[in-house]
């Protein structure tokens, strides 16, 4: 069983749902970048420097890789060293970040513990799924068609392609069909998590 499970996927692919299922099934720590930042915001003992970086993000700037690494690496290290696995949900948004995480894993001897699972959806499927969420009342407050198109441009398959290729070259990437129902996607993820990437 892999100790570090990295979920990739476009908006609406179900990463969050599947990450929670993995965490519940194996007792793993679900690490979400958003959750880490919210925890930092409410932490009275957080450093002034970290709070300043967070304020910059809320002002419209991208959150710095340095801050994400600091928060995520501490959680990963704490859990893996305690023999508890982790599942990373949407933590990696660029090749530079993928390289940064991989360097951290290798430095700690965990290179063989990581597996990357992409919940694959086409951009047209994303739009349909996000539109369905809005119609059902489960979407985000700012989910207009223009906003959804912009999210796909920024976080869709074009943005994901170089990250996917990086992990393919490492031989630790596997995709599952994101159009399948939730139990089927969960079952495929379980197989990969337990038995590794199929050649």
């Amino acid at each position: 069983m892999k100790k570090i499970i990295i979920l990739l996927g476009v908006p609406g692919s179900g990463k969050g749902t599947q990450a929670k299922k993995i965490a519940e099934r194996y007792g793993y720590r679900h690490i979400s970048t958003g959750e880490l930042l919210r925890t930092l915001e409410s932490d009275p003992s957080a450093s002034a420097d970290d709070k300043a970086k967070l304020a910059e993000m809320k002002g419209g700037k991208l959150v710095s890789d340095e801050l994400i690494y600091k928060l995520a690496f501490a959680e990963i290290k704490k859990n893996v060293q305690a023999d508890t696995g982790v599942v990373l949900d949407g933590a990696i948004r660029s090749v530079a970040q993928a390289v940064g995480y991989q360097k951290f894993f290798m430095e700690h001897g965990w290179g063989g513990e990581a597996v990357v699972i992409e919940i694959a959806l086409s951009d047209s499927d994303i739009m349909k799924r996000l539109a369905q969420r809005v119609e059902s009342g489960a979407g985000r407050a700012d989910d207009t068609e223009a906003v959804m198109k912009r999210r796909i441009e920024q976080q869709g398959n074009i943005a994901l392609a170089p990250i996917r290729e990086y992990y393919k070259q490492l031989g630790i990437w596997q995709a599952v069909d994101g159009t399948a129902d939730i139990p089927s996607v969960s079952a495929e993820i379980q197989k990969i998590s337990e038995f590794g990437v199929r050649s």
Side-chain angles (χ1 to χ4, degrees), residues 3 74-86 108 110:
K3 286 290 183 185
E75 278 299 305
I76 294 167
K77 186 175 181 179
K78 179 175 71 176
N79 285 277
V80 175
Q81 287 184 338
D83 206 28
T84 301
V86 295
H108 289 79
W110 302 330

Side-chain angles (χ1 to χ4, degrees), residues 31 35 126 135 154 167 169 185 194:
I31 298 176
E35 179 197 337
I126 305 166
E135 288 171 12
Q154 294 172 345
Y167 283 124
Q169 290 175 15
V185 173
E194 293 180 357

Side-chain angles (χ1 to χ4, degrees), residues 1 4 18-19 33 41 47 53 69 78 86 105 114 116 122 137 142 146 161-162 165 167 171 183 185:
M1 180 70 195
I4 301 166
Q18 294 299 335
T33 301
E41 185 175 22
S47 73
K53 288 174 183 172
Y69 292 159
K78 179 175 71 176
V86 295
F105 299 152
V116 178
S122 69
D142 64 345
E165 287 305 311
Y167 283 124
V185 173

Side-chain angles (χ1 to χ4, degrees), residues 5 14 28 40 49 56 62 68 90 112 130 138 151 157 162 168 185:
I5 300 170
Y28 278 21
L40 174 65
D49 185 49
E56 287 179 356
L62 289 175
I68 292 299
L130 292 176
R151 284 176 68 199
N157 283 293
K168 276 186 179 181
V185 173

